[in-house]
Amino acid sequence: MANNALSVSFDKGFGSLGNAWNVPAPRNGEVTLSGHSGLMQWASGKAAGHGYGTYTVTAKIEGHEPGPAILLWPGNDQWPGQEIDLVENAHDHSGRQYGTVHWNDNGKDAFKTEMFEGVKGGVFHDYQLVWEPGKMTFKVDGRDMGSITSHIPKDFDHGGMNNTIGILNNNPDTSITVSHIDFKPLGGGAPAPAPAPTPEAAPAPAPSTGSGGGSNGGGSSSGGAVDWNAIAAQVLANFNATGRWEMPSGDTSHSPAPAPAPAPSHDQPVDWHALAAQATANFEATGHWFI
């Protein structure tokens, strides 16, 4: 998949972090993991997740024991591998926090760490990682906590592998609460809004179905303008065949989407601009084009 920008605020579900276990539904825009629980993007191949860029997670860690972690998990779901931890609790039971870069050393887990001196648990912090060629930089609340320049993996677009964003807690005496996750690709920002459909728009091929690790489920590719006329035709055809307003090839099983707007009545004119806006909002929240 393309190394797209991402923003998850937990106001309407888990967003693109659809691989969840033992995690209660978000409340007041926050999600809390306790006991043995996890919330991750699906690690389905080397292209899954994201690569070079800036990762920022607003979170609060409770407890002094090891167990809570904000991490980037290998896109191919194989470990030991290129796991990167934005934050973990130290194993000396002091409650100190640190960041880590892991790699596979002939089948064994190897790693380097940077301690986050002066960072206390029990309050929200902005944990940030900047992944760029040959360098990982850790920051907390905008303050530089150190960099690692050895054993830095390449991302998928540069011949290596991407990583998926995850939150874990593996200790009954700890918890981690997250209110926001943000990713901006290196040298880029948020995706530009899709143009509204116009009567003069030239016909284009129908949206293709993604395949392979981390690809969008259904809808248009992330490159180029979106042909809302083609999407509208597919949605209408699917409604006539199934009675449901959705993309016929959309796969949303891995990524819960924001609650859709009420479906228009089949007896009334369809507001394609409203459907286009809803599809755009779903894509920006989940990475999938669907109604």
Side-chain angles (χ1 to χ4, degrees), residues 5 25 58 126 150 152 189 215 230 234 256:
T58 302
D126 287 332
S150 61
I152 303 302
S215 297
Q234 283 206 349

Side-chain angles (χ1 to χ4, degrees), residues 118-240:
V119 176
K120 304 296 183 182
V123 295
F124 278 95
H125 296 288
D126 287 332
Y127 296 98
Q128 191 171 82
L129 171 78
V130 181
W131 180 9
E132 53 192 322
K135 187 177 182 180
M136 295 271 189
T137 301
F138 298 93
K139 298 182 180 182
V140 179
D141 298 329
R143 184 160 60 100
D144 195 323
M145 291 294 169
S147 299
I148 295 175
T149 56
S150 61
H151 301 282
I152 303 302
K154 295 180 180 179
D155 71 358
F156 180 77
D157 287 346
H158 296 83
M161 180 168 61
N162 285 349
N163 283 55
T164 57
I165 300 171
I167 313 295
L168 294 179
N169 192 79
N170 289 313
N171 192 316
D173 297 322
T174 63
S175 69
I176 180 169
T177 299
V178 181
S179 63
H180 189 76
I181 296 174
D182 183 86
F183 169 72
K184 290 183 174 59
L186 187 66
T198 63
E200 295 77 19
S208 61
T209 301
S211 61
S215 297
N216 293 342
S220 82
S221 68
S222 59
V226 178
D227 184 355
W228 291 115
N229 291 328
I231 291 179
Q234 283 206 349
V235 172
L236 183 58
N238 194 58
F239 178 85
N240 291 333

Side-chain angles (χ1 to χ4, degrees), residues 27-89:
R27 297 183 60 186
N28 301 320
E30 299 176 353
V31 61
T32 297
L33 284 71
S34 57
H36 294 272
S37 54
L39 180 64
M40 304 180 72
Q41 295 176 311
W42 291 93
S44 54
K46 289 186 176 182
H50 308 274
Y52 293 157
T54 300
Y55 300 78
T56 306
V57 180
T58 302
K60 175 178 65 175
I61 290 176
E62 300 280 5
H64 292 156
E65 304 296 314
I70 302 170
L71 73 161
L72 305 183
W73 186 253
N76 65 359
D77 201 23
Q78 295 181 12
W79 198 90
Q82 61 180 55
E83 173 192 344
I84 302 109
D85 298 284
L86 277 70
V87 63
E88 293 183 274
N89 270 356

